[in-house]
Structures are given as structure tokens and as C-alpha cells.
Coordinates of all heavy atoms in Angstrom, one line a residue:
M1 N 99.4 -44.3 52.9 CA 99.8 -45.3 51.9 C 99.3 -46.7 52.2 O 98.8 -47.4 51.4 CB 101.3 -45.3 51.7 CG 101.7 -46.0 50.4 SD 101.1 -45.0 48.9 CE 101.5 -46.2 47.6
R2 N 99.3 -47.0 53.6 CA 98.9 -48.3 54.0 C 97.4 -48.4 53.8 O 96.9 -49.5 53.4 CB 99.2 -48.5 55.5 CG 100.6 -49.0 55.7 CD 100.9 -49.2 57.2 NE 102.3 -49.3 57.5 CZ 102.8 -49.3 58.7 NH1 102.1 -49.1 59.7 NH2 104.1 -49.4 58.9
E3 N 96.7 -47.3 54.1 CA 95.2 -47.3 54.0 C 94.9 -47.6 52.5 O 93.9 -48.3 52.2 CB 94.7 -46.0 54.4 CG 94.4 -45.9 55.9 CD 94.0 -44.5 56.4 OE1 93.4 -43.8 55.5 OE2 94.1 -44.2 57.5
F4 N 95.6 -46.9 51.6 CA 95.3 -47.1 50.2 C 95.5 -48.5 49.8 O 94.7 -49.1 49.1 CB 96.3 -46.2 49.4 CG 96.2 -46.4 47.9 CD1 95.1 -45.9 47.1 CD2 97.2 -47.2 47.2 CE1 95.0 -46.2 45.8 CE2 97.1 -47.4 45.9 CZ 96.0 -46.9 45.2
L5 N 96.6 -49.1 50.3 CA 96.8 -50.6 50.0 C 95.7 -51.5 50.5 O 95.3 -52.4 49.8 CB 98.2 -51.0 50.6 CG 99.4 -50.6 49.7 CD1 100.7 -50.9 50.5 CD2 99.5 -51.2 48.4
L6 N 95.3 -51.1 51.7 CA 94.2 -51.9 52.3 C 92.9 -51.8 51.5 O 92.3 -52.9 51.2 CB 94.0 -51.4 53.8 CG 93.0 -52.3 54.6 CD1 93.7 -53.6 55.0 CD2 92.6 -51.6 55.9
V7 N 92.6 -50.6 51.1 CA 91.4 -50.4 50.3 C 91.5 -51.1 49.0 O 90.6 -51.7 48.5 CB 91.1 -48.8 50.1 CG1 90.1 -48.6 49.1 CG2 90.7 -48.2 51.4
F8 N 92.7 -50.9 48.4 CA 93.0 -51.6 47.1 C 92.8 -53.1 47.2 O 92.2 -53.8 46.4 CB 94.4 -51.2 46.6 CG 94.7 -51.8 45.3 CD1 94.2 -51.1 44.1 CD2 95.5 -52.9 45.1 CE1 94.5 -51.7 42.9 CE2 95.7 -53.4 43.9 CZ 95.3 -52.8 42.8
A9 N 93.4 -53.7 48.4 CA 93.3 -55.1 48.6 C 91.8 -55.5 48.7 O 91.4 -56.5 48.1 CB 94.1 -55.5 49.8
V10 N 91.1 -54.7 49.5 CA 89.6 -55.1 49.7 C 88.9 -55.0 48.4 O 88.1 -55.9 48.1 CB 89.0 -54.1 50.7 CG1 87.5 -54.3 50.8 CG2 89.6 -54.4 52.1
I11 N 89.1 -54.0 47.6 CA 88.5 -53.8 46.3 C 88.9 -55.0 45.4 O 88.0 -55.6 44.7 CB 88.8 -52.5 45.7 CG1 88.1 -51.3 46.4 CG2 88.4 -52.4 44.2 CD1 88.6 -49.9 46.0
A12 N 90.2 -55.3 45.4 CA 90.6 -56.4 44.6 C 89.9 -57.8 44.9 O 89.5 -58.5 44.1 CB 92.1 -56.6 44.7
V13 N 89.8 -58.0 46.3 CA 89.1 -59.2 46.7 C 87.7 -59.2 46.3 O 87.1 -60.2 45.8 CB 89.2 -59.4 48.3 CG1 88.3 -60.4 48.8 CG2 90.7 -59.7 48.6
L14 N 87.0 -58.0 46.5 CA 85.6 -57.9 46.1 C 85.4 -58.1 44.6 O 84.5 -58.8 44.1 CB 85.0 -56.5 46.5 CG 84.7 -56.4 48.0 CD1 84.4 -54.9 48.3 CD2 83.6 -57.3 48.4
L15 N 86.3 -57.5 43.8 CA 86.3 -57.7 42.4 C 86.5 -59.1 42.0 O 85.8 -59.7 41.1 CB 87.3 -56.8 41.7 CG 86.9 -55.3 41.4 CD1 88.2 -54.5 40.9 CD2 85.8 -55.2 40.4
G16 N 87.4 -59.8 42.7 CA 87.7 -61.2 42.4 C 86.5 -62.0 42.7 O 86.1 -62.9 41.9
L17 N 85.8 -61.8 43.8 CA 84.6 -62.5 44.2 C 83.5 -62.3 43.2 O 82.9 -63.3 42.8 CB 84.2 -62.1 45.6 CG 85.1 -62.7 46.8 CD1 84.6 -62.0 48.1 CD2 84.9 -64.2 46.9
T18 N 83.3 -61.0 42.9 CA 82.2 -60.7 41.9 C 82.5 -61.3 40.5 O 81.6 -61.8 39.8 CB 82.0 -59.2 41.8 OG1 83.2 -58.6 41.6 CG2 81.3 -58.7 43.0
A19 N 83.8 -61.3 40.2 CA 84.2 -61.9 38.9 C 83.9 -63.4 38.9 O 83.4 -63.9 37.9 CB 85.7 -61.7 38.7
I20 N 84.2 -64.1 40.0 CA 83.9 -65.5 40.1 C 82.4 -65.7 40.0 O 82.0 -66.6 39.3 CB 84.5 -66.1 41.4 CG1 86.0 -66.1 41.3 CG2 83.9 -67.5 41.7 CD1 86.7 -66.3 42.7
K21 N 81.7 -64.9 40.8 CA 80.2 -65.0 40.7 C 79.7 -64.8 39.3 O 78.9 -65.5 38.7 CB 79.6 -63.9 41.6 CG 79.2 -64.5 43.0 CD 78.4 -63.4 43.7 CE 78.1 -63.9 45.1 NZ 77.3 -62.9 45.8
Y22 N 80.2 -63.7 38.7 CA 79.8 -63.3 37.3 C 80.2 -64.4 36.3 O 79.4 -64.7 35.4 CB 80.4 -62.0 36.9 CG 80.0 -61.5 35.6 CD1 78.7 -61.0 35.4 CD2 80.9 -61.5 34.5 CE1 78.3 -60.6 34.2 CE2 80.5 -61.0 33.3 CZ 79.2 -60.6 33.1 OH 78.8 -60.1 31.9
R23 N 81.4 -65.0 36.6 CA 81.8 -66.1 35.6 C 80.9 -67.3 35.7 O 80.5 -67.8 34.7 CB 83.2 -66.5 36.0 CG 84.0 -67.2 34.9 CD 85.4 -67.6 35.3 NE 86.2 -66.4 35.5 CZ 87.4 -66.5 36.1 NH1 87.9 -67.6 36.5 NH2 88.1 -65.4 36.2
R24 N 80.4 -67.6 36.9 CA 79.5 -68.7 37.1 C 78.2 -68.4 36.4 O 77.6 -69.3 35.7 CB 79.3 -69.0 38.6 CG 80.4 -69.8 39.2 CD 80.0 -70.1 40.7 NE 81.2 -70.7 41.4 CZ 81.3 -70.7 42.7 NH1 80.3 -70.2 43.5 NH2 82.3 -71.3 43.3
Q25 N 77.7 -67.2 36.6 CA 76.4 -66.8 36.0 C 76.6 -66.8 34.5 O 75.7 -67.3 33.7 CB 76.0 -65.4 36.5 CG 75.4 -65.4 37.8 CD 74.9 -64.0 38.3 OE1 75.6 -63.1 38.0 NE2 73.8 -64.0 39.0
L26 N 77.7 -66.3 34.0 CA 78.0 -66.2 32.6 C 78.0 -67.6 32.0 O 77.4 -67.9 30.9 CB 79.3 -65.5 32.3 CG 79.5 -65.1 30.9 CD1 78.7 -63.9 30.5 CD2 81.0 -64.8 30.6
M27 N 78.7 -68.5 32.7 CA 78.8 -69.9 32.2 C 77.4 -70.5 32.1 O 77.0 -71.2 31.2 CB 79.7 -70.7 33.1 CG 81.2 -70.4 33.0 SD 81.9 -70.8 31.4 CE 82.2 -72.5 31.6
A28 N 76.6 -70.3 33.2 CA 75.3 -70.8 33.2 C 74.4 -70.2 32.1 O 73.7 -70.9 31.4 CB 74.6 -70.5 34.6
M29 N 74.6 -68.9 31.9 CA 73.8 -68.2 30.8 C 74.2 -68.8 29.5 O 73.4 -69.0 28.6 CB 74.0 -66.7 30.9 CG 73.2 -66.1 32.0 SD 73.5 -64.3 32.1 CE 72.7 -63.6 30.7
V30 N 75.6 -68.9 29.3 CA 76.1 -69.4 28.0 C 75.5 -70.8 27.8 O 75.1 -71.2 26.7 CB 77.6 -69.4 28.0 CG1 78.2 -70.3 26.8 CG2 78.1 -68.0 27.9
G31 N 75.6 -71.7 28.8 CA 75.0 -73.0 28.7 C 73.5 -73.0 28.4 O 73.1 -73.7 27.5
F32 N 72.8 -72.1 29.1 CA 71.4 -72.0 28.8 C 71.1 -71.5 27.4 O 70.2 -72.1 26.7 CB 70.8 -71.1 29.9 CG 69.3 -71.0 29.9 CD1 68.6 -72.2 30.3 CD2 68.6 -69.9 29.5 CE1 67.2 -72.2 30.3 CE2 67.2 -69.9 29.6 CZ 66.5 -71.0 29.9
A33 N 71.8 -70.5 27.0 CA 71.7 -70.0 25.7 C 71.9 -71.0 24.6 O 71.2 -71.1 23.6 CB 72.6 -68.7 25.5
R34 N 73.0 -71.8 24.9 CA 73.3 -72.9 23.9 C 72.2 -73.9 23.8 O 71.8 -74.3 22.7 CB 74.6 -73.6 24.4 CG 75.4 -74.2 23.2 CD 76.8 -74.7 23.7 NE 77.7 -73.6 24.0 CZ 78.9 -73.8 24.6 NH1 79.2 -74.9 25.1 NH2 79.7 -72.8 24.8
L35 N 71.6 -74.2 25.0 CA 70.5 -75.2 25.0 C 69.3 -74.6 24.2 O 68.7 -75.3 23.4 CB 70.1 -75.4 26.5 CG 70.8 -76.6 27.2 CD1 70.4 -76.6 28.6 CD2 70.5 -77.9 26.5
L36 N 69.0 -73.3 24.5 CA 67.9 -72.6 23.8 C 68.2 -72.6 22.3 O 67.2 -72.9 21.5 CB 67.8 -71.2 24.3 CG 67.0 -71.0 25.6 CD1 67.0 -69.6 26.0 CD2 65.6 -71.5 25.5
K37 N 69.4 -72.3 21.9 CA 69.7 -72.2 20.5 C 69.5 -73.6 19.8 O 68.9 -73.7 18.8 CB 71.2 -71.8 20.3 CG 71.4 -70.6 19.4 CD 72.9 -70.3 19.3 CE 73.1 -69.0 18.7 NZ 74.5 -68.6 18.6
E38 N 70.0 -74.7 20.5 CA 69.9 -76.0 20.0 C 68.4 -76.4 19.9 O 67.9 -76.9 18.9 CB 70.6 -77.0 20.8 CG 72.1 -77.0 20.5 CD 72.9 -77.9 21.5 OE1 72.3 -78.7 22.2 OE2 74.1 -77.6 21.6
A39 N 67.7 -76.1 21.0 CA 66.2 -76.4 21.0 C 65.5 -75.6 19.9 O 64.7 -76.2 19.2 CB 65.7 -76.1 22.4
G40 N 65.8 -74.3 19.8 CA 65.2 -73.5 18.8 C 65.4 -73.9 17.4 O 64.5 -74.0 16.6
S41 N 66.7 -74.2 17.1 CA 67.0 -74.7 15.8 C 66.4 -76.0 15.5 O 66.0 -76.3 14.4 CB 68.5 -74.7 15.6 OG 69.1 -75.7 16.4
A42 N 66.4 -76.9 16.5 CA 65.8 -78.2 16.3 C 64.3 -78.1 16.0 O 63.8 -78.7 15.1 CB 66.0 -79.1 17.5
S43 N 63.6 -77.3 16.8 CA 62.1 -77.1 16.6 C 61.9 -76.4 15.3 O 60.9 -76.6 14.6 CB 61.5 -76.4 17.8 OG 62.0 -75.1 17.9
G44 N 62.8 -75.4 15.0 CA 62.6 -74.7 13.7 C 62.8 -75.7 12.5 O 62.0 -75.6 11.6
D45 N 63.7 -76.6 12.6 CA 63.9 -77.6 11.5 C 62.6 -78.4 11.5 O 62.1 -78.7 10.4 CB 65.1 -78.4 11.8 CG 66.4 -77.7 11.5 OD1 66.3 -76.6 10.9 OD2 67.5 -78.2 11.9
L46 N 62.1 -78.9 12.6 CA 61.0 -79.7 12.7 C 59.8 -79.0 12.0 O 59.1 -79.5 11.2 CB 60.6 -80.1 14.1 CG 61.2 -81.4 14.6 CD1 60.9 -81.6 16.1 CD2 60.7 -82.6 13.8
R47 N 59.6 -77.7 12.5 CA 58.5 -76.9 11.9 C 58.6 -76.8 10.4 O 57.6 -76.9 9.7 CB 58.5 -75.5 12.6 CG 57.4 -75.3 13.6 CD 57.5 -74.0 14.2 NE 57.8 -74.1 15.6 CZ 58.3 -73.1 16.4 NH1 58.6 -72.0 15.8 NH2 58.5 -73.3 17.6
R48 N 59.8 -76.5 10.0 CA 60.1 -76.4 8.5 C 59.7 -77.7 7.8 O 59.0 -77.7 6.8 CB 61.5 -76.0 8.3 CG 61.6 -74.6 7.6 CD 63.1 -74.2 7.6 NE 63.5 -73.5 8.8 CZ 64.8 -73.5 9.2 NH1 65.7 -74.1 8.6 NH2 65.1 -72.8 10.3
K49 N 60.2 -78.8 8.4 CA 59.9 -80.1 7.8 C 58.5 -80.4 7.7 O 57.9 -80.8 6.7 CB 60.7 -81.2 8.6 CG 62.1 -81.4 8.1 CD 62.8 -82.4 9.0 CE 64.3 -82.3 8.8 NZ 65.1 -83.0 9.8
T50 N 57.8 -80.2 8.9 CA 56.3 -80.5 8.9 C 55.5 -79.6 8.0 O 54.6 -80.0 7.4 CB 55.8 -80.5 10.4 OG1 56.2 -79.2 10.9 CG2 56.3 -81.6 11.2
A51 N 56.0 -78.3 8.0 CA 55.3 -77.3 7.2 C 55.4 -77.7 5.7 O 54.3 -77.7 5.0 CB 55.8 -75.9 7.4
T52 N 56.5 -78.1 5.2 CA 56.7 -78.4 3.8 C 56.1 -79.8 3.5 O 55.7 -80.0 2.4 CB 58.2 -78.3 3.4 OG1 58.9 -79.1 4.3 CG2 58.7 -76.9 3.4
A53 N 56.1 -80.6 4.5 CA 55.7 -82.0 4.2 C 54.2 -82.1 4.3 O 53.6 -82.9 3.5 CB 56.3 -83.0 5.2
S54 N 53.5 -81.5 5.3 CA 52.1 -81.7 5.5 C 51.2 -80.8 4.8 O 50.1 -81.1 4.3 CB 51.8 -81.7 7.0 OG 52.0 -80.4 7.5
E55 N 51.6 -79.5 4.6 CA 50.7 -78.5 4.1 C 50.2 -78.8 2.7 O 49.0 -78.7 2.5 CB 51.3 -77.1 4.2 CG 50.9 -76.4 5.5 CD 51.6 -75.1 5.7 OE1 51.9 -74.5 4.7 OE2 51.8 -74.7 6.9
P56 N 51.0 -79.1 1.8 CA 50.5 -79.4 0.4 C 49.7 -80.6 0.3 O 48.8 -80.7 -0.6 CB 51.8 -79.5 -0.5 CG 52.9 -79.1 0.4 CD 52.5 -79.3 1.8
N57 N 49.9 -81.6 1.2 CA 49.2 -82.9 1.1 C 48.0 -82.9 2.1 O 47.3 -83.9 2.1 CB 50.1 -84.0 1.5 CG 51.3 -84.1 0.6 OD1 51.2 -83.8 -0.6 ND2 52.5 -84.4 1.1
K58 N 47.7 -81.8 2.8 CA 46.6 -81.9 3.8 C 45.3 -82.0 3.0 O 45.0 -81.2 2.1 CB 46.7 -80.6 4.6 CG 45.8 -80.7 5.9 CD 45.9 -79.5 6.7 CE 45.0 -79.7 8.0 NZ 45.1 -78.5 8.8
L59 N 44.5 -82.9 3.4 CA 43.2 -83.1 2.8 C 42.1 -82.7 3.7 O 42.1 -82.9 4.9 CB 43.1 -84.6 2.5 CG 44.0 -85.2 1.4 CD1 43.8 -86.7 1.2 CD2 43.7 -84.5 0.0
V60 N 41.0 -82.2 3.1 CA 39.8 -81.7 3.8 C 38.7 -82.4 3.1 O 38.6 -82.5 1.9 CB 39.7 -80.2 3.8 CG1 38.5 -79.7 4.5 CG2 41.0 -79.6 4.4
D61 N 37.7 -82.8 3.9 CA 36.5 -83.4 3.3 C 35.4 -82.4 3.0 O 35.2 -81.5 3.8 CB 36.0 -84.6 4.1 CG 35.5 -84.2 5.5 OD1 36.1 -83.3 6.0 OD2 34.5 -84.8 5.9
C62 N 34.8 -82.5 1.9 CA 33.7 -81.6 1.5 C 32.5 -81.9 2.4 O 32.1 -83.0 2.7 CB 33.3 -81.9 0.1 SG 31.8 -81.0 -0.5
D63 N 31.9 -80.8 3.0 CA 30.8 -80.9 3.9 C 29.5 -81.4 3.1 O 28.6 -81.9 3.8 CB 30.5 -79.6 4.6 CG 31.5 -79.3 5.7 OD1 32.4 -80.2 5.9 OD2 31.4 -78.3 6.3
A64 N 29.4 -81.2 1.8 CA 28.2 -81.6 1.1 C 28.3 -83.0 0.6 O 27.4 -83.8 0.8 CB 28.0 -80.6 -0.1
C65 N 29.4 -83.4 -0.1 CA 29.4 -84.7 -0.7 C 30.5 -85.6 -0.1 O 30.5 -86.8 -0.4 CB 29.7 -84.6 -2.2 SG 31.4 -84.0 -2.6
G66 N 31.3 -85.1 0.8 CA 32.2 -86.0 1.5 C 33.5 -86.3 0.8 O 34.3 -87.1 1.3
V67 N 33.7 -85.7 -0.4 CA 34.9 -86.0 -1.2 C 36.1 -85.3 -0.5 O 36.0 -84.2 0.0 CB 34.7 -85.4 -2.6 CG1 36.1 -85.3 -3.3 CG2 33.8 -86.4 -3.4
W68 N 37.3 -86.1 -0.5 CA 38.5 -85.5 0.1 C 39.3 -84.7 -0.9 O 39.5 -85.3 -2.0 CB 39.3 -86.6 0.7 CG 38.7 -87.2 2.0 CD1 37.8 -88.2 2.0 CD2 39.0 -86.7 3.3 NE1 37.5 -88.4 3.3 CE2 38.2 -87.5 4.1 CE3 39.8 -85.8 3.9 CZ2 38.2 -87.4 5.5 CZ3 39.8 -85.6 5.3 CH2 39.0 -86.4 6.1
I69 N 39.6 -83.5 -0.6 CA 40.3 -82.6 -1.6 C 41.4 -81.9 -0.8 O 41.4 -81.7 0.4 CB 39.3 -81.6 -2.2 CG1 38.4 -81.1 -1.1 CG2 38.6 -82.1 -3.4 CD1 37.7 -79.8 -1.4
P70 N 42.5 -81.5 -1.6 CA 43.6 -80.8 -1.0 C 43.1 -79.5 -0.4 O 42.2 -78.8 -1.0 CB 44.6 -80.5 -2.2 CG 44.2 -81.5 -3.2 CD 42.7 -81.8 -3.0
E71 N 43.7 -79.1 0.7 CA 43.2 -77.9 1.4 C 43.3 -76.6 0.5 O 42.5 -75.7 0.6 CB 44.0 -77.6 2.7 CG 43.3 -76.8 3.7 CD 44.1 -76.6 5.0 OE1 45.3 -76.7 4.9 OE2 43.5 -76.4 6.0
S72 N 44.3 -76.6 -0.4 CA 44.5 -75.5 -1.3 C 43.3 -75.3 -2.3 O 43.2 -74.2 -2.8 CB 45.8 -75.6 -2.1 OG 45.8 -76.9 -2.8
K73 N 42.6 -76.4 -2.5 CA 41.5 -76.2 -3.5 C 40.1 -76.2 -2.8 O 39.1 -76.2 -3.5 CB 41.5 -77.4 -4.4 CG 42.7 -77.4 -5.4 CD 42.7 -78.6 -6.3 CE 44.0 -78.6 -7.2 NZ 44.2 -79.8 -7.9
V74 N 40.1 -76.1 -1.5 CA 38.9 -76.0 -0.7 C 38.2 -74.7 -1.0 O 38.8 -73.6 -1.0 CB 39.1 -76.3 0.7 CG1 38.0 -75.8 1.6 CG2 39.4 -77.7 1.0
I75 N 36.9 -74.7 -1.1 CA 36.1 -73.5 -1.1 C 35.4 -73.3 0.2 O 34.7 -74.2 0.7 CB 35.0 -73.5 -2.3 CG1 35.7 -73.7 -3.6 CG2 34.1 -72.3 -2.2 CD1 34.8 -74.2 -4.7
R76 N 35.7 -72.3 0.9 CA 35.2 -72.1 2.3 C 34.0 -71.1 2.2 O 34.1 -70.0 1.7 CB 36.3 -71.5 3.2 CG 37.3 -72.5 3.5 CD 38.3 -71.9 4.5 NE 39.6 -72.7 4.5 CZ 39.8 -73.8 5.2 NH1 38.8 -74.3 5.9 NH2 40.9 -74.4 5.1
K77 N 32.9 -71.6 2.8 CA 31.7 -70.7 2.9 C 31.0 -71.0 4.2 O 30.7 -72.2 4.5 CB 30.7 -71.0 1.7 CG 31.1 -70.1 0.5 CD 30.1 -70.1 -0.6 CE 30.6 -69.3 -1.8 NZ 29.6 -69.4 -2.9
H78 N 30.7 -70.0 4.9 CA 30.0 -70.1 6.2 C 30.7 -71.1 7.1 O 30.1 -72.0 7.8 CB 28.6 -70.5 6.0 CG 27.8 -69.7 5.0 ND1 27.6 -68.4 5.2 CD2 27.3 -70.0 3.8 CE1 26.9 -67.9 4.1 NE2 26.8 -68.9 3.3
R79 N 32.1 -71.0 7.2 CA 32.9 -71.8 8.0 C 32.8 -73.3 7.6 O 33.1 -74.2 8.5 CB 32.6 -71.6 9.5 CG 33.0 -70.3 10.0 CD 32.7 -70.1 11.5 NE 33.0 -68.8 12.0 CZ 32.8 -68.4 13.2 NH1 32.3 -69.3 14.1 NH2 33.1 -67.2 13.6
R80 N 32.4 -73.6 6.4 CA 32.3 -75.0 6.0 C 33.2 -75.2 4.8 O 33.4 -74.2 4.1 CB 30.8 -75.4 5.7 CG 29.9 -75.3 6.9 CD 28.5 -75.5 6.5 NE 28.2 -76.9 6.2 CZ 27.1 -77.4 5.6 NH1 26.2 -76.5 5.2 NH2 26.9 -78.6 5.3
N81 N 33.6 -76.4 4.5 CA 34.5 -76.7 3.4 C 33.7 -77.4 2.3 O 32.9 -78.3 2.5 CB 35.6 -77.6 3.9 CG 36.4 -77.0 5.0 OD1 36.7 -75.8 5.0 ND2 36.7 -77.8 6.0
F82 N 33.9 -76.9 1.1 CA 33.3 -77.5 -0.1 C 34.3 -77.8 -1.2 O 35.3 -77.1 -1.3 CB 32.2 -76.6 -0.6 CG 31.1 -76.3 0.4 CD1 31.1 -75.1 1.1 CD2 30.1 -77.3 0.6 CE1 30.1 -74.9 2.0 CE2 29.1 -77.0 1.5 CZ 29.1 -75.8 2.2
C83 N 34.0 -78.8 -2.0 CA 34.9 -79.2 -3.1 C 34.7 -78.4 -4.3 O 35.6 -78.2 -5.1 CB 34.8 -80.7 -3.4 SG 33.3 -81.2 -4.1
S84 N 33.5 -77.9 -4.5 CA 33.2 -77.2 -5.7 C 32.0 -76.2 -5.5 O 31.3 -76.3 -4.4 CB 32.8 -78.2 -6.8 OG 31.6 -78.8 -6.4
E85 N 31.8 -75.3 -6.4 CA 30.7 -74.3 -6.3 C 29.4 -75.0 -6.3 O 28.4 -74.6 -5.6 CB 30.7 -73.4 -7.5 CG 31.8 -72.3 -7.4 CD 31.6 -71.3 -6.3 OE1 30.4 -71.1 -6.0 OE2 32.6 -70.8 -5.8
A86 N 29.2 -76.2 -7.0 CA 28.0 -76.9 -7.0 C 27.7 -77.4 -5.6 O 26.5 -77.4 -5.2 CB 28.1 -78.1 -8.0
C87 N 28.7 -77.8 -4.8 CA 28.4 -78.3 -3.5 C 28.1 -77.2 -2.5 O 27.3 -77.5 -1.6 CB 29.7 -79.1 -3.0 SG 29.8 -80.8 -3.6
T88 N 28.5 -76.0 -2.8 CA 28.2 -74.9 -1.9 C 26.7 -74.6 -2.0 O 26.1 -74.1 -1.0 CB 29.0 -73.6 -2.2 OG1 28.6 -73.2 -3.5 CG2 30.5 -73.9 -2.1
K89 N 26.1 -74.9 -3.1 CA 24.7 -74.6 -3.4 C 23.8 -75.8 -3.0 O 22.6 -75.7 -2.8 CB 24.4 -74.3 -4.8 CG 25.0 -72.9 -5.2 CD 25.2 -72.7 -6.7 CE 26.0 -71.5 -7.0 NZ 26.5 -71.5 -8.4
A90 N 24.4 -77.0 -2.8 CA 23.6 -78.2 -2.5 C 23.1 -78.2 -1.0 O 23.8 -77.6 -0.2 CB 24.5 -79.4 -2.7
Ligands
ZN1 ZN1 31.6 -81.7 -2.6

């Protein structure tokens, strides 16, 4: 019975020590995860904001005549940007 109590006491101490260790790691992980979450949501918001703000207004210049046009209306041919079909032939 004494041996059992001794083993139980040793196991309890080991469990306590590992619990303290695990708690520290868990706290660190929780803190790290919180930081990552905040950073991720912040950058996500930034990305969303820049995406909606810059993409429709992004201007590209025509390689033939130099006119600035919205990227959505650009005609791409041979990796060059053109404002119209006439400029692609020029
Ligand atoms: Zn042009």
C-alpha cells in the first residue's frame, strides 16, 4: 500500500509538472494564435480595402498612343496593353 501511495505521489507530481509546462505552452500558443488572428484579420481587411479601392481605378497606359485607360478596358496583345483595336494594329 505504501508503494502504491509513493507511485501515486510521484505520478501526481509528474502530472502536476507536465500540467504546468503544458499550461505555459498553451498560454503561449493561445497568445500567439491571438496575435496571428489579429494580424490575419488586419491584413485581410487591408487587402479587402486595397482590392476594392485600387482595382477598379487602376490605370494602364496604351503602348501605342500612350492614353491612360482603366485596366478593365485594356486590350492585351503580345504582353502589351492597348486602348483600342486600332492601336493594336498601329
Ligand atoms: Zn491607344
Side-chain angles (χ1 to χ4, degrees):
M1 199 61 188
R2 276 179 194 171
E3 277 177 18
F4 173 77
L5 280 174
L6 190 72
V7 168
F8 184 79
V10 168
I11 287 169
V13 168
L14 284 172
L15 275 174
L17 286 172
T18 48
I20 288 164
K21 264 192 183 178
Y22 183 70
R23 202 180 291 170
R24 278 181 190 166
Q25 281 180 326
L26 193 76
M27 289 295 280
M29 279 175 77
V30 165
F32 189 65
R34 207 174 285 169
L35 272 174
L36 278 177
K37 233 182 197 179
E38 279 171 22
S41 63
S43 63
D45 286 347
L46 268 175
R47 252 177 245 160
R48 244 172 271 152
K49 272 175 197 167
T50 49
T52 50
S54 66
E55 267 173 29
N57 301 324
K58 194 175 180 183
L59 292 173
V60 178
D61 61 325
C62 174
D63 282 0
C65 67
V67 161
W68 288 87
I69 39 163
E71 202 178 27
S72 56
K73 290 177 182 173
V74 162
I75 298 160
R76 291 184 196 278
K77 275 191 183 175
H78 311 296
R79 291 182 183 178
R80 296 173 75 194
N81 302 318
F82 298 101
C83 66
S84 62
E85 282 293 332
C87 277
T88 63
K89 289 160 191 167

